Amino acid sequence: MNIFRKKDPRQIKTEMARSLGVADLVFLGLGSMVGTGIFTITGIGAANYAGPSLVISIVIAAIAVGISALFYAEFASRLPANGGAYSYTYATLGEFPAWMVGWMIIMEFLIAISSVASGWGTYLKGLLANFNITLPTALNGTFDPNKGTYIDLLPVLVMVAVTALVLMNSKSVLRFNSFLVILKFSALALFIITGLFFIKTANWSNFMPYGIGQFYGGKTGMIAGASIMFFAFLGFESLSMTVDEAKEPHKTVPRGITLSLIIVTILYVVVTLVLTGIVHYTKLGVADAVAFALRHVGLSWAANYVSTVAILTLITVCISMTYALSRTVYSISRDGLLPKVFRHISKKSKIPDNATVLVGFFAIIFAGIVPLNALAEFVNICTLAYLIVLAVALIKLRRDKGKTEADQFKTPLVPFLPIISIVICLSLMSQFMIVTWIAFGVAVIIGILIYVLYGYSNSTID
């Protein structure tokens, strides 16, 4: 029984249309990363974890993500194939590690999509409440018969719409996604420009109220803030899953990853500086921090615009992640580790339609029925776990294949940088609660069982 058998993903010819350029990928990355994190988690992170020093937490998180992004860029350049970290691990470490990476990606994206859909529903309910519009109790919350709630209808409806959008051809859905990203940036630009006139430097005087925190096992402080803000960057890896649809993927994907990550980091730092400058950090533990800050200084018209845009553009995160996850499911199915029905490509739109429907179906179930409030840490721990595997895979790639060629992206300081990445990821993982680790352990066991009972015997590798 060889669970470490390898497959070179470059040997598989894509059936999808190559139509995406650097701009498309940058907007896909911005759509994934600029959402709940910037509108909500910046406020909660400042209030409960790091105070104004959250800006440094963001930089720490960006460095952790940025190092991993360098690994993605080299893999995308040297092994251009769909499936992202899953395919890269398959080619370097073998089938079982690849499956576990793929399983962690599925867990991460599926729960993240559902969480954002639920957040979107909460924003919309708040807006409707201003007009005295409420849904019937049975349709106004996740399954809890004691409270009389059975399904959260609004997140279900948005995921039905998102799934229908992603079933369109890639160019069309990403064009719509780009429009929503531009709209989102208009709201953030409005916040930054107007907020600059209301900054009180006294709000920054106690810059690090919770201290630096502990590198391992801390619950508050700047380091713990970095573990929370790591959530803000989730989705950057979705760019590596566009390889089969990108023009010149060995060049386009690394550029898309690098540019989108730089833009997002700058944006998060500036927004957090303005946010904590306008409102004292102790008051920012609210779900709509950016809009709250504008209302706090009497700019209700700007707050209403930001809230409306936030409601519309949180959909971009759902679109980007549904797009990316469906491509991962397609890649895993193509290798036989999931049922072959999910490797089907639509003849008309040239996208993995069955995989997209599967992702949409489960996202609808999780968003509509399962309470997801406690699962943000679970999303992070799944991501950090497979980023550790990716770092190991890069070291193995260099050992087996040598240095990069002249036209390929090269990660500097290998193996030093991958080892640093592993240490940082373990540090961030250690900040999470015991219940998160238990949930992660259960997910690992389920993943192992799926591979043993189905994946190994159905693999396309003899």
Short mmCIF file of all heavy atoms in Angstrom, two decimals, residues 12-20 81-84 87 166 168-171 240-247 323-332 334 342-356:
data_model
loop_
_atom_site.label_atom_id
_atom_site.label_comp_id
_atom_site.label_asym_id
_atom_site.label_seq_id
_atom_site.Cartn_x
_atom_site.Cartn_y
_atom_site.Cartn_z
N ILE A 12 -1.58 16.53 -17.02
CA ILE A 12 -3.02 16.52 -17.26
C ILE A 12 -3.41 17.73 -18.10
O ILE A 12 -3.18 18.87 -17.70
CB ILE A 12 -3.81 16.52 -15.94
CG1 ILE A 12 -3.40 15.32 -15.08
CG2 ILE A 12 -5.31 16.49 -16.21
CD1 ILE A 12 -3.99 15.33 -13.69
N LYS A 13 -4.00 17.49 -19.25
CA LYS A 13 -4.42 18.58 -20.13
C LYS A 13 -5.74 19.16 -19.66
O LYS A 13 -6.69 18.44 -19.38
CB LYS A 13 -4.57 18.07 -21.58
CG LYS A 13 -4.88 19.17 -22.58
CD LYS A 13 -5.00 18.60 -23.99
CE LYS A 13 -5.35 19.71 -24.99
NZ LYS A 13 -5.49 19.17 -26.37
N THR A 14 -5.80 20.47 -19.56
CA THR A 14 -7.02 21.10 -19.09
C THR A 14 -8.10 21.14 -20.18
O THR A 14 -7.80 21.26 -21.38
CB THR A 14 -6.75 22.55 -18.63
OG1 THR A 14 -7.99 23.12 -18.16
CG2 THR A 14 -6.22 23.41 -19.75
N GLU A 15 -9.36 21.01 -19.75
CA GLU A 15 -10.50 21.13 -20.66
C GLU A 15 -11.14 22.51 -20.55
O GLU A 15 -12.08 22.81 -21.27
CB GLU A 15 -11.54 20.05 -20.34
CG GLU A 15 -11.03 18.63 -20.46
CD GLU A 15 -12.08 17.63 -19.99
OE1 GLU A 15 -13.14 17.53 -20.65
OE2 GLU A 15 -11.86 16.97 -18.97
N MET A 16 -10.63 23.32 -19.63
CA MET A 16 -11.21 24.64 -19.40
C MET A 16 -10.57 25.69 -20.30
O MET A 16 -9.45 25.51 -20.78
CB MET A 16 -11.08 25.01 -17.92
CG MET A 16 -11.94 24.14 -17.01
SD MET A 16 -11.98 24.70 -15.29
CE MET A 16 -10.60 23.78 -14.62
N ALA A 17 -11.28 26.78 -20.49
CA ALA A 17 -10.82 27.84 -21.39
C ALA A 17 -9.83 28.76 -20.68
O ALA A 17 -10.08 29.20 -19.56
CB ALA A 17 -12.02 28.64 -21.90
N ARG A 18 -8.71 29.07 -21.35
CA ARG A 18 -7.72 29.99 -20.79
C ARG A 18 -8.09 31.42 -21.20
O ARG A 18 -7.83 31.83 -22.33
CB ARG A 18 -6.32 29.63 -21.28
CG ARG A 18 -5.82 28.29 -20.76
CD ARG A 18 -4.32 28.16 -20.93
NE ARG A 18 -3.83 26.87 -20.45
CZ ARG A 18 -3.54 26.60 -19.19
NH1 ARG A 18 -3.72 27.54 -18.27
NH2 ARG A 18 -3.10 25.41 -18.83
N SER A 19 -8.67 32.18 -20.26
CA SER A 19 -9.16 33.51 -20.62
C SER A 19 -8.81 34.58 -19.59
O SER A 19 -9.15 35.74 -19.76
CB SER A 19 -10.69 33.47 -20.78
OG SER A 19 -11.31 33.04 -19.58
N LEU A 20 -8.10 34.21 -18.50
CA LEU A 20 -7.89 35.14 -17.40
C LEU A 20 -6.49 35.75 -17.43
O LEU A 20 -5.50 35.05 -17.59
CB LEU A 20 -8.11 34.43 -16.06
CG LEU A 20 -9.43 33.66 -15.91
CD1 LEU A 20 -9.50 33.03 -14.53
CD2 LEU A 20 -10.63 34.59 -16.14
N ALA A 81 -0.69 23.97 -12.51
CA ALA A 81 -1.82 23.04 -12.62
C ALA A 81 -2.89 23.45 -11.64
O ALA A 81 -2.61 24.05 -10.59
CB ALA A 81 -1.37 21.61 -12.35
N ASN A 82 -4.14 23.12 -11.95
CA ASN A 82 -5.25 23.45 -11.08
C ASN A 82 -5.15 22.67 -9.78
O ASN A 82 -4.49 21.64 -9.71
CB ASN A 82 -6.58 23.13 -11.78
CG ASN A 82 -7.65 24.13 -11.41
OD1 ASN A 82 -7.66 24.67 -10.31
ND2 ASN A 82 -8.55 24.40 -12.34
N GLY A 83 -5.83 23.16 -8.74
CA GLY A 83 -5.85 22.46 -7.47
C GLY A 83 -5.02 23.11 -6.39
O GLY A 83 -5.09 22.73 -5.23
N GLY A 84 -4.19 24.11 -6.75
CA GLY A 84 -3.42 24.83 -5.75
C GLY A 84 -2.54 23.94 -4.91
O GLY A 84 -1.83 23.06 -5.42
N SER A 87 -2.50 20.07 -5.52
CA SER A 87 -1.72 19.55 -6.64
C SER A 87 -0.22 19.64 -6.38
O SER A 87 0.54 18.74 -6.75
CB SER A 87 -2.07 20.30 -7.93
OG SER A 87 -3.39 20.03 -8.33
N VAL A 166 -21.58 31.50 -10.41
CA VAL A 166 -20.33 30.79 -10.64
C VAL A 166 -20.50 29.72 -11.72
O VAL A 166 -19.52 29.27 -12.31
CB VAL A 166 -19.78 30.21 -9.32
CG1 VAL A 166 -18.49 29.44 -9.52
CG2 VAL A 166 -19.54 31.33 -8.31
N MET A 168 -21.79 30.35 -14.47
CA MET A 168 -21.55 31.04 -15.74
C MET A 168 -20.10 30.82 -16.16
O MET A 168 -19.30 30.28 -15.41
CB MET A 168 -21.83 32.54 -15.59
CG MET A 168 -23.26 32.88 -15.19
SD MET A 168 -23.43 34.59 -14.63
CE MET A 168 -22.87 35.49 -16.07
N ASN A 169 -19.71 31.27 -17.34
CA ASN A 169 -18.31 31.11 -17.75
C ASN A 169 -17.43 32.01 -16.89
O ASN A 169 -17.86 33.05 -16.39
CB ASN A 169 -18.13 31.40 -19.24
CG ASN A 169 -18.29 32.86 -19.59
OD1 ASN A 169 -17.43 33.69 -19.30
ND2 ASN A 169 -19.42 33.19 -20.23
N SER A 170 -16.18 31.60 -16.72
CA SER A 170 -15.27 32.24 -15.77
C SER A 170 -15.10 33.73 -16.03
O SER A 170 -15.08 34.55 -15.11
CB SER A 170 -13.91 31.55 -15.81
OG SER A 170 -14.02 30.22 -15.39
N LYS A 171 -14.98 34.11 -17.30
CA LYS A 171 -14.75 35.51 -17.64
C LYS A 171 -15.93 36.37 -17.19
O LYS A 171 -15.74 37.46 -16.64
CB LYS A 171 -14.53 35.66 -19.14
CG LYS A 171 -13.97 37.00 -19.56
CD LYS A 171 -12.52 37.17 -19.11
CE LYS A 171 -11.93 38.49 -19.61
NZ LYS A 171 -10.55 38.68 -19.14
N SER A 240 -4.20 30.56 -6.92
CA SER A 240 -3.42 29.42 -7.43
C SER A 240 -4.32 28.35 -8.03
O SER A 240 -3.83 27.44 -8.68
CB SER A 240 -2.58 28.82 -6.30
OG SER A 240 -3.41 28.18 -5.33
N MET A 241 -5.62 28.47 -7.80
CA MET A 241 -6.57 27.48 -8.32
C MET A 241 -7.13 27.87 -9.68
O MET A 241 -8.04 27.23 -10.19
CB MET A 241 -7.69 27.26 -7.30
CG MET A 241 -7.18 26.75 -5.95
SD MET A 241 -8.45 26.76 -4.68
CE MET A 241 -7.46 26.53 -3.20
N THR A 242 -6.59 28.95 -10.25
CA THR A 242 -7.06 29.42 -11.56
C THR A 242 -6.11 29.02 -12.68
O THR A 242 -6.27 29.46 -13.81
CB THR A 242 -7.18 30.96 -11.57
OG1 THR A 242 -5.86 31.52 -11.40
CG2 THR A 242 -8.08 31.46 -10.46
N VAL A 243 -5.12 28.18 -12.36
CA VAL A 243 -4.04 27.90 -13.31
C VAL A 243 -4.56 27.38 -14.64
O VAL A 243 -4.06 27.75 -15.70
CB VAL A 243 -3.04 26.89 -12.68
CG1 VAL A 243 -2.09 26.35 -13.73
CG2 VAL A 243 -2.24 27.58 -11.58
N ASP A 244 -5.57 26.52 -14.61
CA ASP A 244 -6.10 25.94 -15.85
C ASP A 244 -6.86 26.95 -16.70
O ASP A 244 -7.18 26.68 -17.86
CB ASP A 244 -7.03 24.76 -15.54
CG ASP A 244 -6.26 23.49 -15.22
OD1 ASP A 244 -5.02 23.55 -15.24
OD2 ASP A 244 -6.88 22.46 -14.94
N GLU A 245 -7.16 28.13 -16.12
CA GLU A 245 -7.95 29.13 -16.85
C GLU A 245 -7.19 30.43 -17.06
O GLU A 245 -7.74 31.40 -17.58
CB GLU A 245 -9.26 29.39 -16.10
CG GLU A 245 -10.15 28.16 -16.03
CD GLU A 245 -11.21 28.27 -14.95
OE1 GLU A 245 -10.91 27.95 -13.80
OE2 GLU A 245 -12.34 28.66 -15.28
N ALA A 246 -5.92 30.47 -16.64
CA ALA A 246 -5.11 31.68 -16.76
C ALA A 246 -4.23 31.63 -18.01
O ALA A 246 -3.72 30.58 -18.38
CB ALA A 246 -4.24 31.86 -15.53
N LYS A 247 -4.06 32.78 -18.63
CA LYS A 247 -3.12 32.89 -19.74
C LYS A 247 -1.70 32.91 -19.16
O LYS A 247 -1.43 33.62 -18.18
CB LYS A 247 -3.37 34.20 -20.51
CG LYS A 247 -4.78 34.36 -21.05
CD LYS A 247 -4.98 35.77 -21.59
CE LYS A 247 -6.41 36.01 -22.03
NZ LYS A 247 -6.65 37.42 -22.45
N TYR A 323 -15.87 29.87 -6.40
CA TYR A 323 -15.12 29.65 -7.65
C TYR A 323 -13.90 28.78 -7.37
O TYR A 323 -13.65 27.77 -8.04
CB TYR A 323 -14.71 31.01 -8.22
CG TYR A 323 -13.80 30.94 -9.43
CD1 TYR A 323 -14.32 30.97 -10.72
CD2 TYR A 323 -12.42 30.85 -9.28
CE1 TYR A 323 -13.49 30.91 -11.82
CE2 TYR A 323 -11.58 30.79 -10.38
CZ TYR A 323 -12.12 30.82 -11.65
OH TYR A 323 -11.30 30.76 -12.73
N ALA A 324 -13.10 29.18 -6.37
CA ALA A 324 -11.85 28.47 -6.08
C ALA A 324 -12.12 27.06 -5.57
O ALA A 324 -11.45 26.10 -5.98
CB ALA A 324 -11.03 29.26 -5.06
N LEU A 325 -13.07 26.90 -4.66
CA LEU A 325 -13.32 25.58 -4.07
C LEU A 325 -13.84 24.59 -5.10
O LEU A 325 -13.47 23.41 -5.09
CB LEU A 325 -14.30 25.70 -2.90
CG LEU A 325 -14.60 24.39 -2.17
CD1 LEU A 325 -13.34 23.68 -1.72
CD2 LEU A 325 -15.52 24.65 -0.97
N SER A 326 -14.68 25.06 -6.01
CA SER A 326 -15.20 24.16 -7.04
C SER A 326 -14.06 23.63 -7.91
O SER A 326 -14.07 22.46 -8.34
CB SER A 326 -16.25 24.87 -7.91
OG SER A 326 -15.69 25.97 -8.60
N ARG A 327 -13.03 24.46 -8.15
CA ARG A 327 -11.87 24.01 -8.94
C ARG A 327 -11.04 22.99 -8.17
O ARG A 327 -10.46 22.07 -8.74
CB ARG A 327 -10.99 25.20 -9.31
CG ARG A 327 -11.37 25.88 -10.62
CD ARG A 327 -12.74 26.48 -10.58
NE ARG A 327 -13.12 27.14 -11.84
CZ ARG A 327 -14.33 27.60 -12.08
NH1 ARG A 327 -15.30 27.45 -11.18
NH2 ARG A 327 -14.62 28.18 -13.23
N THR A 328 -10.97 23.14 -6.85
CA THR A 328 -10.25 22.17 -6.03
C THR A 328 -10.96 20.83 -6.03
O THR A 328 -10.34 19.77 -6.20
CB THR A 328 -10.10 22.68 -4.59
OG1 THR A 328 -9.38 23.92 -4.60
CG2 THR A 328 -9.35 21.69 -3.72
N VAL A 329 -12.29 20.86 -5.85
CA VAL A 329 -13.07 19.62 -5.87
C VAL A 329 -12.93 18.93 -7.23
O VAL A 329 -12.77 17.71 -7.31
CB VAL A 329 -14.56 19.92 -5.56
CG1 VAL A 329 -15.43 18.69 -5.81
CG2 VAL A 329 -14.71 20.39 -4.12
N TYR A 330 -12.95 19.72 -8.29
CA TYR A 330 -12.76 19.19 -9.64
C TYR A 330 -11.40 18.49 -9.76
O TYR A 330 -11.30 17.37 -10.29
CB TYR A 330 -12.85 20.33 -10.65
CG TYR A 330 -12.24 20.04 -12.00
CD1 TYR A 330 -12.90 19.23 -12.93
CD2 TYR A 330 -11.00 20.57 -12.35
CE1 TYR A 330 -12.32 18.97 -14.17
CE2 TYR A 330 -10.43 20.32 -13.58
CZ TYR A 330 -11.09 19.51 -14.49
OH TYR A 330 -10.52 19.25 -15.71
N SER A 331 -10.35 19.12 -9.27
CA SER A 331 -9.01 18.55 -9.36
C SER A 331 -8.89 17.26 -8.58
O SER A 331 -8.29 16.28 -9.05
CB SER A 331 -7.96 19.56 -8.85
OG SER A 331 -7.95 20.72 -9.65
N ILE A 332 -9.46 17.23 -7.37
CA ILE A 332 -9.39 16.03 -6.54
C ILE A 332 -10.19 14.90 -7.19
O ILE A 332 -9.75 13.74 -7.20
CB ILE A 332 -9.91 16.33 -5.12
CG1 ILE A 332 -9.01 17.36 -4.43
CG2 ILE A 332 -9.97 15.06 -4.28
CD1 ILE A 332 -9.53 17.85 -3.10
N ARG A 334 -10.76 14.58 -10.38
CA ARG A 334 -10.02 14.18 -11.58
C ARG A 334 -8.95 13.15 -11.25
O ARG A 334 -8.60 12.30 -12.07
CB ARG A 334 -9.39 15.43 -12.20
CG ARG A 334 -8.75 15.24 -13.55
CD ARG A 334 -8.29 16.57 -14.13
NE ARG A 334 -7.34 17.26 -13.25
CZ ARG A 334 -6.85 18.46 -13.51
NH1 ARG A 334 -7.23 19.13 -14.58
NH2 ARG A 334 -5.99 19.02 -12.67
N PHE A 342 -17.79 14.58 -10.28
CA PHE A 342 -17.42 15.97 -10.01
C PHE A 342 -16.29 16.47 -10.91
O PHE A 342 -15.85 17.60 -10.77
CB PHE A 342 -17.05 16.14 -8.54
CG PHE A 342 -18.17 15.76 -7.61
CD1 PHE A 342 -18.00 14.76 -6.67
CD2 PHE A 342 -19.41 16.38 -7.70
CE1 PHE A 342 -19.02 14.38 -5.83
CE2 PHE A 342 -20.45 16.02 -6.87
CZ PHE A 342 -20.26 15.01 -5.93
N ARG A 343 -15.81 15.64 -11.82
CA ARG A 343 -14.79 16.10 -12.76
C ARG A 343 -15.41 16.54 -14.09
O ARG A 343 -14.70 16.90 -15.03
CB ARG A 343 -13.75 15.00 -13.01
CG ARG A 343 -14.24 13.84 -13.86
CD ARG A 343 -13.22 12.74 -14.01
NE ARG A 343 -13.12 11.95 -12.78
CZ ARG A 343 -12.53 10.77 -12.70
NH1 ARG A 343 -11.94 10.25 -13.75
NH2 ARG A 343 -12.49 10.11 -11.57
N HIS A 344 -16.73 16.53 -14.15
CA HIS A 344 -17.42 16.89 -15.40
C HIS A 344 -17.25 18.38 -15.71
O HIS A 344 -17.37 19.24 -14.84
CB HIS A 344 -18.91 16.56 -15.29
CG HIS A 344 -19.69 16.86 -16.53
ND1 HIS A 344 -20.36 18.05 -16.71
CD2 HIS A 344 -19.87 16.14 -17.66
CE1 HIS A 344 -20.95 18.05 -17.90
NE2 HIS A 344 -20.67 16.90 -18.49
N ILE A 345 -16.96 18.67 -16.98
CA ILE A 345 -16.83 20.05 -17.45
C ILE A 345 -18.00 20.38 -18.37
O ILE A 345 -18.28 19.64 -19.31
CB ILE A 345 -15.50 20.26 -18.20
CG1 ILE A 345 -14.31 20.04 -17.27
CG2 ILE A 345 -15.43 21.65 -18.83
CD1 ILE A 345 -14.15 21.07 -16.20
N SER A 346 -18.66 21.50 -18.10
CA SER A 346 -19.77 21.93 -18.94
C SER A 346 -19.27 22.25 -20.36
O SER A 346 -18.29 22.96 -20.53
CB SER A 346 -20.42 23.18 -18.34
OG SER A 346 -21.26 23.80 -19.27
N LYS A 347 -19.95 21.70 -21.35
CA LYS A 347 -19.55 21.93 -22.74
C LYS A 347 -19.77 23.39 -23.16
O LYS A 347 -19.02 23.93 -23.97
CB LYS A 347 -20.34 21.01 -23.67
CG LYS A 347 -19.97 19.54 -23.52
CD LYS A 347 -20.75 18.68 -24.49
CE LYS A 347 -20.38 17.20 -24.33
NZ LYS A 347 -21.15 16.33 -25.25
N LYS A 348 -20.77 24.02 -22.57
CA LYS A 348 -21.11 25.38 -22.96
C LYS A 348 -20.19 26.41 -22.29
O LYS A 348 -19.58 27.26 -22.96
CB LYS A 348 -22.57 25.68 -22.62
CG LYS A 348 -23.01 27.08 -23.02
CD LYS A 348 -24.49 27.31 -22.67
CE LYS A 348 -24.92 28.72 -23.06
NZ LYS A 348 -26.35 28.96 -22.72
N SER A 349 -20.09 26.35 -20.96
CA SER A 349 -19.35 27.38 -20.23
C SER A 349 -17.92 26.98 -19.88
O SER A 349 -17.14 27.81 -19.40
CB SER A 349 -20.08 27.74 -18.93
OG SER A 349 -20.30 26.58 -18.15
N LYS A 350 -17.58 25.70 -20.12
CA LYS A 350 -16.22 25.20 -19.87
C LYS A 350 -15.80 25.37 -18.41
O LYS A 350 -14.66 25.72 -18.10
CB LYS A 350 -15.20 25.91 -20.77
CG LYS A 350 -15.42 25.68 -22.26
CD LYS A 350 -15.24 24.23 -22.65
CE LYS A 350 -15.41 24.01 -24.14
NZ LYS A 350 -15.28 22.58 -24.52
N ILE A 351 -16.74 25.12 -17.48
CA ILE A 351 -16.42 25.19 -16.05
C ILE A 351 -16.86 23.87 -15.41
O ILE A 351 -17.72 23.16 -15.94
CB ILE A 351 -17.10 26.39 -15.37
CG1 ILE A 351 -18.63 26.33 -15.54
CG2 ILE A 351 -16.59 27.70 -15.94
CD1 ILE A 351 -19.37 25.85 -14.35
N PRO A 352 -16.30 23.51 -14.24
CA PRO A 352 -16.70 22.27 -13.56
C PRO A 352 -18.06 22.42 -12.90
O PRO A 352 -18.17 22.82 -11.73
CB PRO A 352 -15.58 22.06 -12.54
CG PRO A 352 -15.04 23.42 -12.28
CD PRO A 352 -15.21 24.21 -13.55
N ASP A 353 -19.11 22.13 -13.64
CA ASP A 353 -20.47 22.44 -13.18
C ASP A 353 -20.92 21.59 -12.00
O ASP A 353 -21.49 22.11 -11.03
CB ASP A 353 -21.47 22.34 -14.34
CG ASP A 353 -21.34 21.05 -15.13
OD1 ASP A 353 -20.44 20.23 -14.83
OD2 ASP A 353 -22.13 20.86 -16.08
N ASN A 354 -20.67 20.28 -12.04
CA ASN A 354 -21.12 19.42 -10.94
C ASN A 354 -20.38 19.75 -9.64
O ASN A 354 -20.98 19.73 -8.55
CB ASN A 354 -20.92 17.95 -11.30
CG ASN A 354 -21.86 17.48 -12.39
OD1 ASN A 354 -22.85 18.16 -12.68
ND2 ASN A 354 -21.57 16.36 -13.00
N ALA A 355 -19.09 20.05 -9.74
CA ALA A 355 -18.32 20.44 -8.56
C ALA A 355 -18.86 21.75 -7.97
O ALA A 355 -18.95 21.91 -6.75
CB ALA A 355 -16.85 20.59 -8.91
N THR A 356 -19.24 22.67 -8.85
CA THR A 356 -19.79 23.95 -8.40
C THR A 356 -21.11 23.76 -7.68
O THR A 356 -21.36 24.35 -6.62
CB THR A 356 -19.98 24.90 -9.60
OG1 THR A 356 -18.72 25.10 -10.25
CG2 THR A 356 -20.54 26.25 -9.15
#
